[in-house]
Amino acid sequence: MTETRLSFKEMCAKFDVTPRTLRYYEYIELLRPEKEGRSRFYTPREVARMTLILRGRRFGFSLEEIRQWLLIYEEKGTGAQMEAWIELADRQLAELAEQKAQLDATIGELQALRDDVAKQAGG
């Protein structure tokens, strides 16, 4: 049975997360491990959810956005979840594009200032 379920420690190792992170994800109901006494076991469903959670975090989504998105699947199914994902992705892509534009502008300003100082120092 351990082939289909991961222990708490195995789950932390598989996803390279701290025990505190895993407990927090359980606390905010992103994950619902099976409990046997004081032990927690993570099914393939929980492993899949953790994969989605970490992917969402990498893309910059908040834990609440991820929680709501996962809840849509449970309440309304795959179609509704995919539609919600497209909306979330569109919003995040716009946010990331704005951040990139701001970062490009900042890099340009810093490069120009650096070049000006370098000319003064060398000349």
Side-chain angles (χ1 to χ4, degrees):
M1 187 166 259
T2 56
E3 297 164 0
T4 59
R5 300 188 314 168
L6 296 177
S7 69
F8 185 83
K9 187 175 180 179
E10 291 168 331
M11 190 77 163
C12 288
K14 178 176 179 65
F15 290 101
D16 193 26
V17 296
T18 64
R20 183 177 180 182
T21 296
L22 204 52
R23 279 190 220 95
Y24 183 68
Y25 288 173
E26 181 181 343
Y27 174 75
I28 63 172
E29 298 179 350
L30 287 173
L31 299 173
R32 293 186 198 103
E34 295 175 353
K35 295 180 182 177
E36 293 177 12
R38 293 179 50 101
S39 299
R40 294 176 175 94
F41 294 97
Y42 298 85
T43 63
R45 174 189 181 271
E46 301 309 308
V47 170
R49 287 174 70 93
M50 187 66 167
T51 300
L52 293 172
I53 292 163
L54 295 179
R55 187 177 294 159
R57 294 298 291 153
R58 194 176 104 235
F59 292 145
F61 295 110
S62 71
L63 289 175
E64 180 57 24
E65 287 172 319
I66 294 166
R67 192 180 74 74
Q68 291 296 323
W69 181 71
L70 291 170
L71 196 59
I72 289 169
Y73 174 77
E74 292 174 11
E75 293 177 354
K76 299 178 184 176
T78 305
Q81 187 184 42
M82 285 191 281
E83 288 177 22
W85 169 250
I86 291 167
E87 289 178 26
L88 279 171
D90 286 345
R91 190 171 60 230
Q92 190 63 14
L93 285 166
E95 176 67 27
L96 290 172
E98 176 61 28
Q99 289 176 8
K100 182 179 185 278
Q102 291 174 4
L103 189 55
D104 287 342
T106 302
I107 289 169
E109 291 172 25
L110 181 57
Q111 185 68 53
L113 180 59
R114 182 243 175 247
D115 293 348
D116 288 346
V117 171
K119 284 179 190 172
Q120 293 174 9

